[in-house]
Amino acid sequence: MGVAVAIDRVEKRFAAVQALAGVSLRIDEGEFFGLLGPNGAGKTTLISCLAGLSRPDAGSLAVLGHDVVRDYRAARRLLGVVPQELVFDPFFSVRETLRIQSGYFGIRNNDDWIDEILANLDLVAKADTNMRRLSGGMKRRVLVAQALVHKPPVIVLDEPTAGVDVELRQGLWQFVRRLNRDGHTVILTTHYLEEAESLCGRIAMLKQGRVVALDSTANLLARFAGQTLSLRLAPPAALPRHLAVQATRVDGYWAFPLAGAREVERLLAELRQAGCVIDELRLTQSDLEDVFLGVMHNAADSQSNDR
Amino acid sequence: MTGFRTLLYKEVLRFWKVSFQTIAAPVLTALLYLLIFAHVLEAHVQVHGVPYTAFLIPGLVMMSALQNAFANSSSSLIQSKVTGSVVFVLLPPISYGEFFLAYVVAAMLRGLMVGTGVLLATIWFAVPAVEAPLWILVFILFGGGIMGALGMIAGIWADKFDQLAGFQNFLIMPLTMLSGVFYSIHSLPGFWQQVSHFNPVFYMIDGFRYGFFGVSDVPPETSLAVVGSSFALVSAATLLLLRSGYKLRS
């Protein structure tokens, strides 16, 4: 397997903000890669640098071995980007938009592939509709279609499901999964962690322009493996101090992280001893959201220790 | 070349789809100028021995062509920047040279179409002679090219529509209106004649008019030299701007 995307010590500063502070990543061909992080972590800046929309202050980026600055023509031909903003050209219909986009990539007579994309994204009925008359979800589909007109081996989706209904989300993922199975490398940024968990084989987490976690999704989940016991106490009972320090308060529940199921009994015994009456109780498996919060929390700790 | 051809096609299609506003409207404006000025001055004024209406027509043709060439590239760029759709031309492997050519040629074509429209609409009032058609073509193309490139600079520089309007109203309009469209600069007081010689648009109009009447305020070779070097200068500036990624690639 070759390297689809090589990012080497990339730095980018916008005025006072260090958007990227030395990011290095290697994404192999055929991967389904997730790029996660809170708002302002640098995900979109990193994608912009990869796509040539921004120029890094230091470091280099390459798509399938082609440097995005020195060899930008080859790099851009191999890359398809779905931008985060819902943008469109109001002068043209869906089909015109896709034909024009094909031409920009040097492809003429692309109608067979355009028809296939339209069918897969459920846009056939809208092919001759002007862009400005489409709903937000439909415009989002056209953005995806535009990124695919030149059959790029590397596809970047920047928040493709933000504000999109469930049906399109399912259809979109089905299509993107198929493209990935067919050998396309997919890089995804999303705020929906359950999407990343079910789709991505490997995940990088960014915070303040740095990679704070990089591992396979399975390893990340294993690292924070365990369960959480959440419970609500019947009033007026309050949680004794020695128990309260073990838990975090979430939406009126006390959440106790557990290393194993065995700890449940100990915890319940202690609660009984303290005279607490449990109103509601649930046991949950940790998911990517817990991993994410854990990683971001740890990153904050280590950064404050640095100072 | 497919990238360039497609971008050119898209730029032409963009103004063609709204041609009522981009071609018909400026033709009407020029026609109104002609009706008013010809009505007032035809009986009183001759320039270079040419009746005033006939003298005015080439000036109006060129002025409309220049203003619309500028409007084309500048409005296309500012619109796509404001709406964000500029990413569609920034993501593909289009070189900045191709980018420049596509926008400038589209601007020239719009200028040429508007100019032709003005000529056809005004021909009912007076038929200007055509002494040297090659000069006509050369000057309208160079003029459109200069204004198309200037429009690119303005469109790249401006972040908002009102900044672009400022550029248009306080630079392009005075330069074109005070370029000798409506008069021969020989009729101006000495000081203003000198000032006019620093306005490159004056040479575009004067050289263009020479193609019709075979007479002009300055020799057409001088005008060609000024217009040619202006084109080279503005083009070089635009290309440098595009290569640097100024305001397009952060």
Side-chain angles (χ1 to χ4, degrees):
Chain A
M1 269 293 157
V3 179
V5 170
I7 298 170
D8 190 27
R9 283 166 293 179
V10 169
E11 292 173 25
K12 180 71 184 175
R13 175 178 278 280
F14 292 108
V17 182
Q18 185 78 45
L20 296 172
V23 171
S24 296
L25 284 174
R26 268 169 64 112
I27 299 163
D28 286 328
E29 275 183 80
E31 273 200 81
F32 204 128
F33 191 89
L35 204 53
L36 307 183
N39 288 331
K43 305 180 299 279
T44 298
T45 305
L46 189 62
I47 288 170
S48 295
C49 287
L50 188 66
L53 298 175
S54 287
R55 291 173 180 182
D57 300 329
S60 66
L61 305 96
V63 181
L64 289 161
H66 299 276
D67 188 275
V68 300
V69 179
R70 270 178 284 121
D71 195 5
Y72 72 93
R73 279 178 169 256
R76 286 186 207 163
R77 213 167 274 132
L78 298 167
L79 191 69
V81 179
V82 182
Q84 190 180 119
E85 301 290 330
L86 199 56
V87 293
F88 63 98
D89 204 325
F91 290 92
F92 307 111
S93 71
V94 174
R95 187 178 288 281
E96 280 172 334
T97 299
L98 297 179
R99 280 188 183 151
I100 289 170
Q101 203 66 26
S102 305
Y104 290 160
F105 282 91
I107 305 163
R108 284 189 282 168
N109 311 321
N110 199 23
D111 277 2
D112 288 347
W113 175 235
I114 289 175
D115 283 334
E116 201 177 325
I117 305 175
L118 289 175
N120 273 296
L121 289 168
D122 211 2
L123 278 168
V124 177
K126 301 284 179 190
D128 297 312
T129 307
N130 184 286
M131 285 301 299
R132 76 174 94 207
R133 299 178 61 179
L134 297 184
S135 67
M138 287 289 174
K139 286 190 183 112
R140 179 73 66 185
R141 294 184 207 201
V142 178
L143 275 181
V144 176
Q146 276 177 275
L148 298 176
V149 287
H150 57 298
K151 298 187 183 170
V154 181
I155 302 163
V156 180
L157 301 129
D158 194 2
E159 302 274 351
T161 48
V164 152
D165 62 61
V166 180
E167 202 182 343
L168 166 61
R169 218 183 280 181
Q170 296 301 332
L172 178 65
W173 291 135
Q174 219 174 350
F175 186 38
V176 174
R177 267 205 181 101
R178 210 192 82 201
L179 290 166
N180 182 239
R181 268 201 307 276
D182 293 346
H184 295 262
T185 309
V186 179
I187 300 169
L188 167 72
T189 82
T190 179
H191 273 122
Y192 300 101
L193 293 165
E194 66 276 23
E195 280 182 358
E197 187 176 332
S198 69
L199 291 162
C200 301
R202 218 153 60 94
I203 285 172
M205 291 189 188
L206 254 67
K207 191 183 182 190
Q208 290 173 351
R210 290 171 208 277
V211 177
V212 289
L214 172 65
D215 212 333
S216 70
T217 311
N219 283 350
L220 281 172
L221 288 169
R223 198 198 299 180
F224 287 78
Q227 287 134 340
T228 305
L229 184 73
S230 303
L231 49 87
R232 201 169 64 192
L233 298 179
L239 205 59
R241 205 178 164 74
H242 74 282
L243 288 174
V245 293
Q246 296 176 32
T248 46
R249 195 109 167 104
V250 184
D251 299 333
Y253 284 82
W254 290 101
F256 291 88
L258 303 176
R262 219 176 268 183
E263 283 189 44
V264 177
E265 215 179 313
R266 174 190 61 82
L267 191 65
L268 290 178
E270 284 183 41
L271 283 164
R272 200 168 41 240
Q273 257 177 4
C276 297
V277 181
I278 296 166
D279 221 14
E280 239 182 279
L281 177 145
R282 62 185 183 213
L283 193 62
T284 48
Q285 196 69 35
S286 7
D287 56 13
L288 198 58
E289 194 163 321
D290 301 308
V291 178
F292 184 80
L293 291 172
V295 168
M296 290 303 149
H297 197 70
N298 289 347
D301 285 350
S302 69
Q303 270 172 13
S304 56
N305 289 341
D306 286 348
R307 286 188 193 118
Chain B
M1 281 309 274
T2 308
F4 158 72
R5 281 223 304 262
T6 309
L7 189 52
L8 174 60
Y9 167 77
K10 175 240 163 192
E11 276 302 295
V12 172
L13 199 61
R14 189 195 71 87
F15 77 74
W16 188 249
K17 283 200 170 200
V18 284
S19 53
F20 196 68
Q21 173 200 335
T22 55
I23 297 172
V27 170
L28 178 67
T29 306
L31 197 59
L32 293 173
Y33 276 125
L34 186 87
L35 287 173
I36 293 161
F37 282 86
H39 167 73
V40 176
L41 297 171
E42 174 67 10
H44 314 286
V45 181
Q46 279 207 343
V47 190
H48 300 310
V50 177
Y52 185 73
T53 308
F55 168 83
L56 181 58
I57 288 174
L60 285 176
V61 169
M62 190 61 162
M63 183 179 80
S64 310
L66 297 176
Q67 287 174 349
N68 281 278
F70 177 86
N72 201 65
S73 49
S74 60
S75 63
S76 175
L77 278 168
I78 189 92
Q79 265 174 15
S80 58
K81 271 171 56 181
V82 168
T83 63
S85 63
V86 71
V87 294
F88 300 136
V89 292
L90 296 178
L91 289 172
I94 297 174
S95 71
Y96 62 90
E98 290 177 300
F99 198 87
F100 168 78
L101 267 186
Y103 278 87
V104 167
V105 173
M108 281 171 158
L109 285 175
R110 164 131 166 231
L112 208 57
M113 284 189 203
V114 171
T116 311
V118 173
L119 193 63
L120 291 177
T122 52
I123 220 155
W124 304 103
F125 300 91
V127 183
V130 179
E131 292 281 332
L134 201 61
W135 286 101
I136 295 176
L137 202 63
V138 164
F139 276 100
I140 200 165
L141 288 180
F142 265 131
I146 292 170
M147 287 299 178
L150 266 180
M152 286 191 83
I153 294 175
I156 292 168
W157 165 78
D159 298 315
K160 295 179 286 188
F161 285 103
D162 50 328
Q163 287 174 326
L164 182 63
F167 202 101
Q168 198 152 15
N169 292 327
F170 291 96
L171 189 71
I172 302 301
M173 281 299 270
L175 283 181
T176 49
M177 297 291 271
L178 301 176
S179 59
V181 170
F182 300 97
Y183 49 80
S184 158
I185 63 160
H186 284 140
S187 63
L188 293 175
F191 173 73
W192 291 108
Q193 268 192 46
Q194 289 309 311
V195 171
S196 296
H197 281 117
F198 288 97
N199 179 0
V201 183
F202 157 71
Y203 297 93
M204 300 180 206
I205 304 273
D206 199 53
F208 184 69
R209 198 175 263 139
Y210 173 84
F212 285 90
F213 305 120
V215 284
S216 49
D217 287 341
V218 298
E221 293 80 9
T222 309
S223 295
L224 185 62
V226 172
V227 169
S229 35
S230 301
F231 180 67
L233 199 73
V234 178
S235 298
T238 315
L239 284 165
L240 281 176
L241 214 57
L242 287 172
R243 196 178 68 172
S244 75
Y246 177 72
K247 290 210 177 176
L248 290 176
R249 298 182 194 275
S250 56

